[in-house]
Amino acid sequence: MFPKNTWYVACTPDEIADKPLGRQICGEKIVFYRAGDGKVAALEDFCPHRGAPLSLGFVRDGDLVCGYHGLQMGCDGKTVAMPGQRVRGFPCIRSYAVEERYGFIWIWPGDKELADPALIHHLEWAVSPEWAYGGGLYHINCEYRLMIDNLMDLTHETYVHSTSIGQKEIDEAPVSTRTEGDTVITSRFMENISAPPFWAMALRANGLPDDQPVDRWQICHFTPPSHVLIEVGVALAGKGGYHAAPEFKASSIVVDFITPETDTSHWYFWGMARNFRPGDPELTVQIREGQGKIFGEDREMLERQQRNLLEHPQRKLLMLNIDAGGVQSRRVLDRLMMQEREAEQARQATRIA
Amino acid sequence: MFPKNTWYVACTPDEIADKPLGRQICGEKIVFYRAGDGKVAALEDFCPHRGAPLSLGFVRDGDLVCGYHGLQMGCDGKTVAMPGQRVRGFPCIRSYAVEERYGFIWIWPGDKELADPALIHHLEWAVSPEWAYGGGLYHINCEYRLMIDNLMDLTHETYVHSTSIGQKEIDEAPVSTRTEGDTVITSRFMENISAPPFWAMALRANGLPDDQPVDRWQICHFTPPSHVLIEVGVALAGKGGYHAAPEFKASSIVVDFITPETDTSHWYFWGMARNFRPGDPELTVQIREGQGKIFGEDREMLERQQRNLLEHPQRKLLMLNIDAGGVQSRRVLDRLMMQEREAEQARQATRIA
Amino acid sequence: MFPKNTWYVACTPDEIADKPLGRQICGEKIVFYRAGDGKVAALEDFCPHRGAPLSLGFVRDGDLVCGYHGLQMGCDGKTVAMPGQRVRGFPCIRSYAVEERYGFIWIWPGDKELADPALIHHLEWAVSPEWAYGGGLYHINCEYRLMIDNLMDLTHETYVHSTSIGQKEIDEAPVSTRTEGDTVITSRFMENISAPPFWAMALRANGLPDDQPVDRWQICHFTPPSHVLIEVGVALAGKGGYHAAPEFKASSIVVDFITPETDTSHWYFWGMARNFRPGDPELTVQIREGQGKIFGEDREMLERQQRNLLEHPQRKLLMLNIDAGGVQSRRVLDRLMMQEREAEQARQATRIA
């Protein structure tokens, strides 16, 4: 239940720095590695010789070498060589479209012919020197859409993250949700409140007082297939809130790339891009640690929610105004999956005709 | 394969002292908590908002608050409130009849309308100052009836508990089993034998010599759905055995409440009620530790027996005289389950007509 | 997918020295123990009384006593006695043909009537004082034939065991495979190469220089059902290789007994028999440790290969010349399984007629 002809974050460059990485994405078992020209390659993780996982092998002269009997695989899925063998007749394995951009490796798990790198979203914070980024990866045993729901309804912060970013006013402030094309935007503005611990820290890091009333905002942007970027921040109260001048505020972008593994599990790439003190790596580490702890708090809730839902597949859940972000994101996904199926049927019809 | 319109032990008060408890009983996932008036409540562990387990939440002003988005649930399964929402139209979740009595929380996992607290067995040892009780809880991966079998045939003590309460004479003494209504009683009397280690300790704790011949008894009482209370004790030989005057004996009741979790697992509440030195809490601790070790010895046997039986569903097991207690207990259960099915069919027929 | 009317290694004597051993072999759950006359016995691991695993019991006077309620089982699967019971009518459990020979316990998991101890392969190294043996046991989650493939194609050493016994020349040397009756033999000879670390050690242990060119050989012998004995060794270059005089070479036999547990797992008895310094137990320990590490390297590859194959049951794997040993071994096994089925059908037809 996920679109496949689209770009997902597959991994980060450090994960393939020393050796190939085997990772299941959208149900496909894939090996990622850096080929000879430094370009990232992605292949089916299945050696055509005897079915060994290629991810247990190594890279030599840009070719992926099977760690079992030494078959050398090219990044197009064709066997290049094998000791003592003629390989011309060997069957191909599948290769995937893959791109390295913005500090991530992106995979198009569907039809390679349709993959267009221009479709990868532009991430200004990833290329601008005015921004710094830090993040991590969690494996979560729930379907990716439960994580989208989670991130498009931040009232959960009041409960799940009560000691760090949650506060009563999130619950109380009205939320507004709108859809622009395939993008869903949910916003909440809170005025004249006290800064919760995380933002008190960010104010101090910005050289601002942490004991004064602030205006706080959360603007969640869902873009398909499963990216949720959340503009978050606080400004000293009465200075314009979201639109306040930089010297009065601390703000950042919560970055969430949510990559399906199976129908009931996903890879959660989380992080924060900030445009204050971008040259301070210690602050990056500090934020990363705090954020890692916060996002860890969601895991048990999401995984047990998933189990509850699997046991009660017939139950209809409520769709409240606070759920509108998730509900509308799912509608976008449903439309994309429908389009994908129709396009596939059209291609098959053409082939037959 | 268990009756549902009956009272089971669900948990002990300490398990819900600080926060709600999620526990599966008779296939139902239930959250237990203490509501505002101090009364215990039990609800389906499923938030009607998005399916999160309510047991990850907390209690505020007597209402159970979902830990995901703050929905407040009343003990009748109706949503009381939710931040920023009108909740009148929210669907109900199931609530269960639950009672706190004798130091345990009792649950009626079936039809709440039929639950009558008067049906909970009277436990004299739990209310009399002449008795003291200590016990614990084990989760066992076998169906609850294998545990009933275990406790209604104590010849296993000779083998499974050979170093504590087992002795050759248990095997050798004849056993008699009778059924009185829904109660099954299995008794064994051994005369002029030496006291095994556990009872030697109890004699000493009672101020009696531990090196003299004793008469020993074991009287197992099964009452539905799955309570096994075992009168056990030793008296100095020739003083009347079970009927000996208190100054010549040490006796107690082994308490076993066996609560099905699934068809192949159960919660085992074990303990001992004694009527000697009831005011000695150190003795309670000592007995509890010894008993916990003994009952832990049954676990591997029962769990592996369960696996063997699951792999050979067609095999008929032997029903020897020593098995009569378990066999007759199962007959009582079969009759109760049949009655339950018939009553349910009658209710449905009435509804249709 | 394994023959059952054949001898497999079940365990080693030390595994049944103190108490019975429960082990699943070819899908059968079996308890092994040493009966009264010191002879090994093997029975179904299922007590006819209540289905408890007999392997949790103990041996008394040569009978296996169930650890649950004391039923005494004879090595023919007939109940001998039970406290307070007449056992004549008790159902039998299955007994298996079992033999102790060459330092192993051998089991015939199929029809006991057909079991002929003379069919156990003669193992000269196990009875001659000129040889010493050391080995171990691994449980591997892949079907037994993947392990046969592994051992009949040693080109994997170059990749999986690159730091111990692997070297480039294995890949490069041609391999020849032939079948003699039910035996499959795959040989490879490498001339004038340097000795890899393991063989350098063996040369030193043999009092030979470890820095001179050697001739190396590997001769794999598959015999049904799943024994792979590999003659391996090095001789100083030009001294005759495999046929060199003893003072110029170090050689041994890699011993592999591969016993199916289920369709997707097996017990792997590995070891090495050597005919140099047989009286040096420290060398035995040293070799055993090195070999244990080497065979541990295969496990992840084999288990993940198994998972890949289970996920792609329709894929045809390549059968290269290097795979000929495994391919021909599988043919022998297919023929034996076919014969087993036909013989069974013939016996059944006879019974009906």
Side-chain angles (χ1 to χ4, degrees), chain A residues 149-150 153 155-156 159-160 168 171 300-302 304-305 308-309 311-312 315 317-318 320-323, chain B residues 29 44-46 48-53 55-56 58 65-70 82-85 90-91:
Chain A
D149 292 343
N150 173 286
D153 174 12
T155 63
H156 81 272
Y159 303 93
V160 181
K168 195 70 207 102
D171 251 9
E300 186 182 9
M301 184 63 77
L302 287 165
R304 294 203 36 202
Q305 180 192 20
N308 257 357
L309 298 181
E311 287 173 11
H312 297 285
R315 290 224 182 148
L317 302 182
L318 290 173
L320 308 176
N321 55 340
I322 55 172
D323 302 311
Chain B
K29 293 208 169 165
E44 207 178 343
D45 197 7
F46 189 99
H49 173 218
R50 303 297 294 172
S55 55
L56 291 181
F58 57 94
V65 180
C66 179
Y68 201 1
H69 301 99
M82 187 172 175
Q85 309 295 334
F90 281 27

Side-chain angles (χ1 to χ4, degrees), chain B residues 98-280:
Chain B
V98 69
E99 284 288 321
E100 182 168 8
R101 198 178 290 183
Y102 306 130
F104 297 95
I105 316 295
W106 302 76
I107 178 99
W108 180 280
D111 188 340
K112 192 177 178 178
E113 299 301 312
L114 304 176
D116 179 359
L119 295 173
I120 298 176
H121 288 266
H122 178 66
L123 301 175
E124 180 60 25
W125 50 262
V127 293
S128 159
E130 290 173 29
W131 291 77
Y133 178 80
L137 169 61
Y138 286 156
H139 179 266
I140 313 266
N141 281 314
C142 77
E143 75 144 313
Y144 74 113
R145 289 180 296 191
L146 293 182
M147 182 58 93
I148 295 174
D149 292 343
N150 173 287
L151 291 161
M152 293 298 285
D153 174 14
L154 298 182
T155 62
H156 81 273
E157 293 185 357
T158 309
Y159 302 93
V160 180
H161 313 303
S162 60
T163 61
S164 52
I165 52 175
Q167 61 184 160
K168 195 70 207 103
E169 289 85 355
I170 299 176
D171 251 9
E172 292 164 352
V175 71
S176 83
T177 300
R178 69 184 194 279
T179 301
E180 297 179 358
D182 283 350
T183 299
V184 179
I185 300 160
T186 287
S187 352
R188 175 181 285 108
F189 299 92
M190 296 152 274
E191 293 183 4
N192 208 33
I193 64 174
S194 63
F198 178 85
W199 285 113
M201 180 276 287
L203 286 167
R204 288 193 301 274
N206 250 339
L208 289 166
D210 65 355
D211 57 352
Q212 296 183 17
V214 295
D215 298 334
R216 182 178 177 186
W217 61 91
Q218 300 172 319
I219 309 171
C220 311
H221 303 257
F222 164 84
T223 47
S226 48
H227 312 331
V228 181
L229 302 183
I230 311 179
E231 294 180 87
V232 290
V234 294
L236 297 183
K239 299 293 184 184
Y242 177 70
H243 298 288
E247 62 265 31
F248 297 121
K249 71 184 176 189
S251 68
S252 56
I253 298 174
V254 177
V255 174
D256 307 287
F257 298 124
I258 306 163
T259 303
E261 181 192 46
T262 67
D263 280 340
T264 54
S265 61
H266 70 269
W267 303 101
Y268 178 32
F269 296 87
W270 52 264
M272 180 169 277
R274 73 179 190 279
N275 59 358
F276 57 91
R277 289 172 57 188
D280 181 349

Side-chain angles (χ1 to χ4, degrees), chain B residues 292-305:
Chain B
K293 210 181 131 215
I294 290 170
F295 289 160
E297 292 170 340
D298 292 290
R299 178 183 274 156
E300 186 182 9
M301 183 63 76
L302 286 165
E303 296 188 343
R304 293 202 37 203
Q305 180 192 19

Side-chain angles (χ1 to χ4, degrees), chain B residues 81-97:
Chain B
M82 187 172 175
Q85 309 295 334
R86 289 202 193 89
V87 301
R88 206 171 296 171
F90 281 27
C92 277
I93 56 168
R94 197 170 162 193
S95 65
Y96 295 88

Side-chain angles (χ1 to χ4, degrees), chain A residues 8 45-47 49 57 65 75 120 142 146 173 190 205 244 252 264-265 269 272 298 307 311-312 325 347:
Chain A
Y8 290 96
D45 197 7
F46 188 99
C47 178
H49 173 217
V65 180
C75 62
I120 298 176
C142 77
L146 292 183
M190 294 153 276
S252 56
T264 55
S265 61
F269 296 88
M272 180 170 276
D298 292 291
R307 271 149 57 193
E311 287 173 11
H312 297 285
R347 273 195 301 280

